Amino acid sequence: MPTVISSVCWVPKGVPQSNPDRIKLDDTQIQELMQQQHDGTDEVMDDTQDSAIPAEEDISTEQGATPADNIEQIYNLDAYDIEEQALQLTGASMQGLTCYSTPAEDPYITLDNISDTSSQDFTIESTDNLVLVGRADDEYSVIEVHIYNESTEDQYCHHEVMLNAHPLSIELVRLEGVSLIAVGTMEPEIELWDLDLVDSIEPYIVLGMRKGKSKKKLSKNRHNKPVLCLSWNKATPHLLASGSADRTVRIWDIKNVVCIETLLHPDVVQSIAWHPYNTSQLLTGCVDGCVRIFDCTTEDKLISAVSLNSEIEKVIWDHLDPIRVIACTESGHVICISSDTGEILYKIAAHAKPVTDIALSTFLPGLLVSTSVDKSYNVWDVSGGGVKCLHSCSPAQGKLYCAEFSPDNPYVFVIGGEKQGLTVVDLMKIAPVASLLKGKELKRVVT
């Protein structure tokens, strides 16, 4: 299996700590931690070998759910060990570790400023962006933290965060002065890692952690299958939403490490997004082909649903024109909907195969990129009343799975696929596109 990039997420300039902290362990401490992990794994193996997993309850039948047979067969979701929820501020990667309020309190670790011992490459400049990259192959799963500097065109992997499962979604979370990498994986837990801590051995927070040898049954307060998508509520920083193959969206209070709301869906939830300004509205895209909008402050929650007659791969709000919702589908279409009326404003036959991701430029209205398993990406101008393809490219990355525009440069985006690593695309370096974009008015939104 090649090294697949399944998800990407930018970190704006000035957010990361310029000189990250690093955990340092001596050989004795490493051996102790490895032994603790081994002991914990033995307990789990004994438990799973001694008992069979009973049939699961259907938590979605209240809304007439239909089974997601294809997804379950592809990922073997029914084989997942399902236990009651245990919400803890402790890492899942090292069984038996004690959790401390700050890493400095942990007697196993010491923190040294990287700039004291490492090369200049480890210093994060104020002009640097970070790009968080979810990668996996048969041997390992990681979040790579890349540095990208647009003025020098430097791009390299700064450090890695080792994971226990294939990453499916990444979201930057900023909570009370701490920058966190939220990760959804093939496991039902959500891990949040400290962005400014290098060589960390455990997450800062784990949402929905399973604990001990409890009865294996579905819990109403945690996911029970892989977490496919995440969305952080920037206006209410302690709220994180997650969508899962278990056909639910859960809203988490990160500060108190608890699930505070569950939104049932009739099928697998593949994409979610908080409204950029109306902080109680949440957009979801589901395998049943419906785009839904929920208002979490109302009793009924669901306020609209529009069927697009094809599996929804991704949904986003147009942050520069937030009445518009844009979705991409398995049928290869990109479709824009009015969130007020449900009317389809435009529909693009964007690719010959499923569209895996879409992203809008941060500051340039109507500049859209789409990626597909047809191994290509397309750049679109969807501003005004028309739709125009500005650029099409088939890089040597195989099937393309993800794309995201820079938060600081309206013309730069990254793409990831099934091989050849991360690619940064600067549209102003593609002459035909640059001539079309030059002079277009930028729109900066103050939130």
Side-chain angles (χ1 to χ4, degrees), residues 97 135 387:
L97 282 180
R135 301 185 66 148
V387 173

Side-chain angles (χ1 to χ4, degrees), residues 159-202:
H159 66 277
E160 296 180 343
V161 177
M162 301 299 297
L163 303 174
N164 289 328
H166 189 136
L168 302 174
S169 52
I170 310 173
E171 184 80 341
L172 176 67
V173 172
R174 300 176 67 186
L175 182 67
E176 298 182 343
V178 181
S179 297
L180 301 170
I181 308 169
V183 186
T185 71
M186 290 295 292
E187 296 294 332
E189 296 87 6
I190 301 164
E191 297 181 347
L192 290 93
W193 295 80
D194 189 338
L195 175 66
D196 296 317
L197 188 60
V198 177
D199 297 334
S200 179
I201 56 174
E202 62 177 357

Side-chain angles (χ1 to χ4, degrees), residues 114-132:
I114 287 179
S115 62
D116 294 337
T117 57
S118 300
S119 68
Q120 188 176 3
D121 283 345
F122 257 85
T123 299
I124 301 173
E125 304 292 343
S126 61
T127 54
D128 289 336
N129 282 111
L130 298 186
V131 184
L132 311 177

Side-chain angles (χ1 to χ4, degrees), residues 89-111:
L89 286 171
T90 182
S93 59
M94 292 288 185
Q95 300 282 343
L97 282 180
T98 302
C99 181
Y100 296 87
S101 59
T102 64
E105 296 176 9
D106 193 332
Y108 281 104
I109 63 177
T110 59
L111 296 175

Side-chain angles (χ1 to χ4, degrees), residues 87-91 99-100 203-206 254-255 257:
L87 298 168
Q88 296 186 358
L89 286 171
T90 182
C99 181
Y100 296 87
Y204 188 85
I205 296 172
V206 179
I254 307 171
K255 189 173 180 179
V257 200

Side-chain angles (χ1 to χ4, degrees), residues 8-14 126-132 147-151 172 234 319-320 358-364 367 369 403-415 422-427 442-444:
V8 292
C9 179
W10 286 83
V11 178
K13 296 175 183 177
S126 61
T127 54
D128 289 336
N129 282 111
L130 298 186
V131 184
L132 311 177
I147 280 184
Y148 171 70
N149 188 296
E150 62 184 75
S151 59
L172 176 67
K234 295 180 182 179
H319 55 281
L320 299 178
I358 48 176
L360 282 165
S361 171
T362 310
F363 307 126
L364 186 55
L367 184 60
V369 63
E404 186 169 339
F405 269 94
S406 165
D408 297 299
N409 187 321
Y411 310 108
V412 172
F413 60 89
V414 291
I415 55 174
L422 183 73
T423 295
V424 178
V425 179
D426 186 345
L427 294 175
L442 301 181
K443 184 178 179 181
R444 295 181 180 267

Side-chain angles (χ1 to χ4, degrees), residues 364 367 390 411 427-428 432-441:
L364 186 55
L367 184 60
L390 304 180
Y411 310 108
L427 294 175
M428 299 309 285
V433 181
S435 64
L436 294 171
L437 297 180
K438 188 176 181 181
K440 282 186 173 289
E441 183 179 359

